[in-house]
Amino acid sequence: SLRGSWRLRSGNGSVSLRAEVPGCVHTALLCRGLIQDPYYRFNDVMYRWISLDNWTYSRTFRTPFDVRKWQKVNLVFEGVDTVAQILLNNVTLGRTDNMFNRYSFDITSMIQEVNFVEVRFLSAVSYAAEQSRCHKAHSIPPACPPPVQKGECHINFIRKEQCSFSWDWGPSFPTQGIWKDVRIEAYNHYHLIYFSLTPFFVKSTQQWYLEVQSIFDVVSSKPIAGLVTVNIPKLQTQQTFSVKLQPGEGSIVLHVNINKSSAVEAWWPNGHGRQTGYNMTTTFMMEAGYQIEKFSKVYFRTVELVQEPIPGSPGLSFYFRINGRPIFIKGSNWIPADSFQDRVTYDTLRLLLKSAADANMNALRVWGGGVYEQDEFYDICDEIGIMIWQDFMFACALYPTDQNYLESVRAEVSHQVRRLKSHPSIILWSGNNENEAAIASNWFSIPYADIGIYIKDYVTLYVKNIREIVLSEDKSRPFVASSPTNGLESVKEGWLSRDPYDTHYGDTHFYDYNSDCWNWTVYPKTRFASEYGFQSWPSFSTIEKVSSPEDWSYTSNFSLHRQHHEGGNIQMLQEIGRHFKLPQSPDPVKQFKDMIYLTQVMQAQCIKTETEFYRFSQSEIINGEGHTMGALYWQLNDIWQAPSWASLEYGGKWKLLHYFAQNFFAPLLPVAFEDKGMLHIYGVSDLHVDRKLILRVIVHAWSSLEPVCTLAKEGVTVKAQSAVPIYKESIGDLLERCRNCTRKSCVITFCLVGEDGLRSPTNHYFLSSLKDAVGLEKTHLSASVSQQDDIYIFVLQTTAIAPFVSLDVGSIKGRFSDNGFLMTEKKKVVVFYPWEPTSVEELESSLILTSLLDIV
């Protein structure tokens, strides 16, 4: 391995330092104290010079073996970011131009006892500009990002993380570096490069088989014969095959039938069963050379994307069947966890993904403007049951299709599919993010006469190249060309539909910052909602780390600088203003903190309303629309500390939205909405069996902790994996029944309770905007903290009803069992799960309790 310490120097040699590999220039400079935190205040713009320079990594290494004993020696880079010339002992081995590719250079004839290796980088920014200049055929928009993003231009001309030139939630840090492993490989006869396992289930025989694919570099000039044994002890399955490896890139595909007398436990998504995996050993014994033993974990699951006619509705369904069972997809969209990938550790990934599972999510979409995630990301998803919708890395742009570009993309796609296809968590390949929509809605104002060229480019890239490779490499998963798309209907229309946002087909992305987000009728009754969202600010403790006191106001230069979405801060104000009083504190820092709190409350309440709408639409067709089978909000995580659509802040802290998600994605949930003066409550269930339950509906006056009236409806049947109406009453009758109630003076809470402790979260429904609520009293909130084993118990007390009670312990890492809740009882117990050691004293001194009534 050539991991570890390298030399790094700037283009003219004026800066020279030690740098860790894997790594990048920015983190190396930070590590040596040559720059401040790149995320601090305005440093993203101040440090632009770093990515405009051409940096060189170099090191010497002794060859740890006798070169004469090996037929082949390679220098292998798992990932180079991005444009570089690779030299060994002053001889150029080759060039790299794709961050997502694996590069292997044959150095058999060049390697010496002591070697000098150099990786000479070219600025990604100047390379992209140059590629764009050289592209004479036709322009490839967009040229540059909107000015509000403070980004770089022509990112679509370089195979690099697309958001590294800026995005509407992230900074521009066009990194340079060796971002993955680099090593020397020496071998005789043959060497295993890729190894994958794909399970298939044969319905007619009710039997599982495994397709085991191995791809070798075969040095020998004639075929090599041998035996391969596959052994899965737990499934009493062992098979031996005679094989022959052809010279060059030799590939073997084996079909392993799983012993019929063994009961195979399938892999299930989070909330639907276990994530059982089996240990498997594959042994290669070839006549020439040594034997290879490969240990792996194998999982069994099937996936189908079902697109079929629906009675009473035009169009087609769009839902996933896992192991033959339709699954409602609940989750969010994943973006890169850091601008500097070398800072994304196993622990970073584990924390974020575990937080997704803890919020009852079963899926994430790895969005096409980031990176194909590291192996550990998918390993964790396999272990905890998070399904992955995997985009290829193309986003919100048109792309070139010249020969060199296509060759690079083909290599990228085949490398990534081979690397990732063994993961049961990946359930779909998707060609790009929003590029079908970009052409269909003509985002880039292309003259009508020219649109044909761009359609041809689109089909060339995503269908004739990417799709063709995916289908030849992986027959076990569905592929869609884009998101949003109309699925089979898009295919029928030549891969570009007239309206990719059509609710009768495929998936939709939906954003609307001008309507009232508490009004469910503005949302599309779509087959599958793969993106939707609202922004909020991260907590003060997160912002504080990268700002100075003069920045702590909603209208400061800093607050404007961090907002990369045009008009975003004003849109949040407008959404808040519909339902809440805006903070008027004379203390500017208190006003800033109040604004942060309100943006989080607003975001949580908006996405709750929208997600509940998607969940209660799963079993019905109304005016030809419905059967919604997926809700992935935008977005799960943050790349830095800034206002964004995320529910997890940079560093992993849960926003109020993430606590709300834990409830609105609960396996059992009652959902209320109003239609023409009627209150409807639906029972939404992901459970595999029907349940007879009690629906409790409680009406409170804002002015009292004692309920005005309660109702218990018994024998309510909530059907398995569906959403059914369980209660209906006109608001007028309800207010009459609960004497002294008006829309402004009362609030409804409700939950489902069953035998054996089955219980849904308690949900709420507001009958008016909270700015119009009558009878809310200033409350005294208090909390006592105690320790119990490795968790902490917070006992909260209130003297009056308190909406949106938030517990915040600053930068102490961990999460609460519940947060942002409506407190309608004197006492509530909340558990704190720490992610690092803390103490009762530390928690007590950090705790800030806020409710809506603290906002003045």
Side-chain angles (χ1 to χ4, degrees):
S1 171
L2 294 181
R3 294 171 86 99
S5 192
W6 288 53
R7 272 313 308 154
L8 174 61
R9 64 168 195 278
S10 59
N12 65 5
S14 60
V15 185
S16 175
L17 60 148
R18 259 210 347 264
E20 280 300 305
V21 166
C24 72
V25 174
H26 289 81
T27 48
L29 292 168
L30 177 64
C31 194
R32 303 247 69 82
L34 296 173
I35 58 170
Q36 286 178 313
D37 176 359
Y39 284 172
Y40 181 69
R41 297 195 77 206
F42 306 92
N43 283 349
D44 55 319
V45 175
M46 304 295 286
Y47 292 158
R48 195 170 166 240
W49 62 272
I50 298 170
S51 54
L52 297 180
D53 204 342
N54 303 321
W55 297 80
T56 296
Y57 277 81
S58 61
R59 71 164 284 175
T60 51
F61 67 92
R62 292 191 81 82
T63 305
F65 49 80
D66 181 351
V67 179
R68 291 164 308 191
K69 289 191 175 152
W70 301 96
Q71 292 171 326
K72 184 136 183 211
V73 184
N74 290 335
L75 171 58
V76 180
F77 291 87
E78 288 295 337
V80 179
D81 175 19
T82 293
V83 184
Q85 181 184 2
I86 316 283
L87 298 94
L88 181 71
N89 303 327
N90 301 319
V91 177
T92 298
L93 300 177
R95 295 175 189 277
T96 68
D97 62 4
N98 189 326
M99 174 180 181
F100 309 122
N101 226 327
R102 177 177 181 277
Y103 289 93
S104 179
F105 300 101
D106 183 346
I107 56 169
T108 318
S109 57
M110 280 166 249
I111 191 164
Q112 298 163 7
E113 249 182 71
V114 177
N115 302 276
F116 178 59
V117 59
E118 257 186 311
V119 181
R120 293 184 190 163
F121 283 97
L122 188 60
S123 158
V125 178
S126 41
Y127 173 84
E130 181 58 25
Q131 290 299 109
S132 162
R133 257 198 311 279
C134 297
H135 192 275
K136 297 282 189 280
H138 47 277
S139 71
I140 310 277
C144 300
V148 66
Q149 288 179 202
K150 303 160 199 66
E152 303 293 354
C153 301
H154 306 299
I155 183 65
N156 44 350
F157 275 93
I158 178 170
R159 291 311 296 144
K160 177 174 172 61
E161 178 187 23
Q162 297 291 283
C163 66
S164 65
F165 278 33
S166 83
W167 214 261
D168 57 8
W169 37 252
S172 172
F173 283 112
T175 44
Q176 293 173 40
I178 301 168
W179 74 293
K180 287 184 179 249
D181 199 28
V182 51
R183 61 182 181 272
I184 304 290
E185 289 175 350
Y187 47 92
N188 292 327
H189 311 300
Y190 65 97
H191 175 66
L192 181 61
I193 312 173
Y194 295 103
F195 179 80
S196 64
L197 316 167
T198 332
F200 292 91
F201 185 70
V202 183
K203 281 203 179 118
S204 55
T205 59
Q206 291 290 297
Q207 189 178 10
W208 287 97
Y209 74 89
L210 269 185
E211 188 178 284
V212 181
Q213 188 187 21
S214 316
I215 297 174
F216 291 86
D217 177 25
V218 181
V219 190
S220 133
S221 55
K222 49 184 199 296
I224 301 176
L227 297 175
V228 182
T229 301
V230 175
N231 187 13
I232 312 171
K234 270 262 173 74
L235 295 176
Q236 284 94 49
T237 297
Q238 180 164 345
Q239 253 174 290
T240 300
F241 303 83
S242 293
V243 296
K244 202 170 245 158
L245 285 179
Q246 298 305 325
E249 188 177 89
S251 167
I252 326 176
V253 178
L254 308 173
H255 282 206
V256 179
N257 290 314
I258 302 302
N259 187 334
K260 269 195 129 163
S261 60
S262 295
V264 173
E265 265 193 57
W267 180 94
W268 287 97
N270 182 30
H272 289 278
R274 302 230 293 257
Q275 291 77 46
T276 308
Y278 296 91
N279 291 330
M280 164 171 153
T281 313
T282 311
T283 315
F284 299 87
M285 288 158 294
M286 310 307 280
E287 51 184 29
Y290 52 102
Q291 88 174 32
I292 297 179
E293 234 181 351
K294 190 88 185 144
F295 299 100
S296 16
K297 198 138 192 104
V298 58
Y299 298 90
F300 295 87
R301 71 108 191 79
T302 61
V303 55
E304 300 152 277
L305 173 56
V306 183
Q307 300 182 69
E308 294 170 349
I310 299 172
S313 172
L316 299 169
S317 64
F318 191 92
Y319 69 89
F320 290 92
R321 262 204 304 251
I322 306 292
N323 304 324
R325 185 182 281 277
I327 303 276
F328 186 99
I329 302 284
K330 303 183 295 191
S332 187
N333 286 263
W334 172 273
I335 65 161
D338 205 296
S339 292
F340 312 108
Q341 278 292 321
D342 50 290
R343 298 206 294 204
V344 182
T345 62
Y346 176 83
D347 292 343
T348 313
L349 294 172
R350 178 103 209 161
L351 188 66
L352 292 168
L353 292 168
K354 186 79 176 67
S355 291
D358 287 344
N360 289 309
M361 296 185 186
N362 59 26
L364 292 170
R365 170 171 170 248
V366 174
W367 167 78
V371 298
Y372 304 95
E373 279 299 331
Q374 37 190 300
D375 296 343
E376 285 84 4
F377 174 93
Y378 302 96
D379 289 340
I380 297 166
C381 291
D382 294 345
E383 283 163 36
I384 65 178
I386 300 288
M387 295 178 280
I388 295 296
W389 170 314
Q390 179 67 52
D391 280 4
F392 286 95
M393 294 301 128
F394 303 85
C396 299
L398 305 182
Y399 288 87
T401 54
D402 49 276
Q403 233 15 67
N404 290 347
Y405 187 86
L406 288 178
E407 268 168 37
S408 181
V409 167
R410 287 179 71 89
E412 160 191 333
V413 171
S414 93
H415 168 58
Q416 295 297 345
V417 174
R418 287 170 178 185
R419 176 174 79 95
L420 298 174
K421 67 178 175 183
S422 300
H423 292 282
S425 50
I426 299 175
I427 59 165
L428 177 75
W429 301 110
S430 173
N432 65 68
N433 173 71
E434 297 185 349
N435 300 349
E436 179 182 344
I439 296 177
S441 314
N442 203 6
W443 293 359
F444 308 121
S445 312
I446 293 162
Y448 187 72
D450 300 342
I451 210 95
I453 316 168
Y454 294 97
I455 291 175
K456 185 170 178 287
D457 277 359
Y458 181 93
V459 174
T460 298
L461 180 56
Y462 303 110
V463 184
K464 294 185 174 154
N465 284 279
I466 295 176
R467 178 173 178 269
E468 184 186 289
I469 291 171
V470 173
L471 295 186
S472 73
E473 289 286 349
D474 180 15
K475 299 187 174 43
S476 72
R477 286 178 185 82
F479 171 89
V480 292
S482 186
S483 174
T485 176
N486 288 345
L488 293 176
E489 179 59 24
S490 285
V491 178
K492 207 163 111 189
E493 293 178 38
W495 297 96
L496 269 143
S497 60
R498 271 190 351 277
D499 173 21
Y501 296 96
D502 190 332
T503 51
H504 303 93
Y505 298 97
D507 62 327
T508 55
H509 295 186
F510 181 80
Y511 296 95
D512 176 354
Y513 310 113
N514 302 315
S515 306
D516 175 4
C517 73
W518 289 21
N519 172 11
W520 60 273
T521 64
V522 304
Y523 300 122
K525 212 167 177 75
T526 171
R527 304 290 191 223
F528 197 108
S530 49
E531 268 193 36
Y532 58 98
F534 296 90
Q535 282 198 323
S536 72
W537 273 77
S539 15
F540 184 73
S541 60
T542 296
I543 288 292
E544 199 177 12
K545 295 183 180 72
V546 290
S547 56
S548 68
E550 73 221 63
D551 302 328
W552 299 339
S553 110
Y554 197 73
T555 51
S556 67
N557 284 343
F558 171 83
S559 293
L560 214 58
H561 179 81
R562 285 314 242 226
Q563 175 58 270
H564 281 196
H565 165 60
E566 191 63 61
N569 289 349
I570 292 162
Q571 286 167 355
M572 280 186 269
L573 279 182
Q574 286 170 337
E575 280 293 357
I576 291 166
R578 282 182 218 281
H579 297 291
F580 304 101
K581 295 182 178 119
L582 291 171
Q584 304 293 333
S585 172
D587 171 359
V589 177
K590 160 93 168 101
Q591 193 181 2
F592 185 47
K593 290 177 175 174
D594 288 351
M595 276 306 306
I596 289 173
Y597 166 82
L598 279 177
T599 64
Q600 290 208 15
V601 165
M602 194 275 313
Q603 176 195 38
Q605 188 65 25
C606 291
I607 293 187
K608 168 188 191 288
T609 308
E610 188 166 357
T611 307
E612 288 182 348
F613 168 71
Y614 295 137
R615 285 193 79 187
F616 82 64
S617 299
Q618 68 181 275
S619 307
E620 64 186 17
I621 294 290
I622 291 177
N623 301 330
E625 294 181 317
H627 277 211
T628 308
M629 281 299 283
L632 299 172
Y633 66 76
W634 184 270
Q635 69 207 63
L636 179 74
N637 56 319
D638 258 334
I639 198 165
W640 70 334
Q641 309 89 339
S644 82
W645 293 259
S647 64
L648 297 174
E649 302 178 2
Y650 180 77
K653 185 171 178 174
W654 289 27
K655 284 185 182 176
L656 292 186
L657 167 57
H658 208 80
Y659 288 104
F660 272 47
Q662 186 174 227
N663 289 333
F664 64 60
F665 281 145
L668 178 69
L669 184 71
V671 171
F673 65 96
E674 211 181 302
D675 193 19
K676 303 185 182 69
M678 295 294 287
L679 176 75
H680 298 263
I681 298 181
Y682 275 50
V684 179
S685 170
D686 287 325
L687 307 174
H688 292 190
V689 290
D690 296 358
R691 298 300 296 247
K692 268 214 171 1
L693 306 165
I694 299 166
L695 171 69
R696 291 212 177 112
V697 181
I698 301 177
V699 178
H700 274 278
W702 284 120
S703 56
S704 166
L705 286 163
E706 291 305 315
V708 184
C709 61
T710 60
L711 171 118
K713 182 178 172 188
E714 299 198 14
V716 171
T717 301
V718 176
K719 286 178 71 72
Q721 295 193 279
S722 56
V724 291
I726 52 175
Y727 183 79
K728 171 169 146 184
E729 184 176 11
S730 87
I731 302 277
D733 291 355
L734 181 93
L735 295 175
E736 191 122 322
R737 188 162 63 76
C738 302
R739 289 178 297 285
N740 305 334
C741 259
T742 67
R743 274 182 174 274
K744 293 180 179 177
S745 69
C746 289
V747 60
I748 305 173
T749 64
F750 46 96
C751 71
L752 288 163
V753 186
E755 283 127 39
D756 61 33
L758 180 67
R759 192 188 181 101
S760 77
T762 298
N763 209 340
H764 59 257
Y765 184 73
F766 299 128
L767 293 161
S768 75
S769 287
L770 292 197
K771 65 179 179 186
D772 303 325
V774 174
L776 273 172
E777 291 166 14
K778 191 87 178 99
T779 168
H780 180 67
L781 278 174
S782 61
S784 64
V785 189
S786 59
Q787 186 171 0
Q788 198 181 321
D789 302 325
D790 45 9
I791 60 171
Y792 294 85
I793 311 294
F794 285 66
V795 179
L796 263 63
Q797 299 202 319
T798 182
T799 53
I801 287 193
F804 302 112
V805 174
S806 143
L807 298 91
D808 189 334
V809 288
S811 43
I812 297 174
K813 286 192 179 309
R815 71 164 181 97
F816 291 96
S817 55
D818 194 2
N819 214 339
F821 43 82
L822 173 65
M823 198 160 168
T824 55
E825 286 170 349
K826 282 197 186 79
K827 197 170 124 180
K828 181 174 169 83
V829 177
V830 177
V831 178
F832 181 74
Y833 302 99
W835 295 333
E836 59 183 23
T838 180
S839 65
V840 168
E841 298 71 48
E842 213 179 2
L843 288 165
E844 280 175 339
S845 62
S846 304
L847 176 66
I848 299 167
L849 281 174
T850 313
S851 87
L852 192 60
L853 301 157
D854 296 306
I855 308 303
V856 289

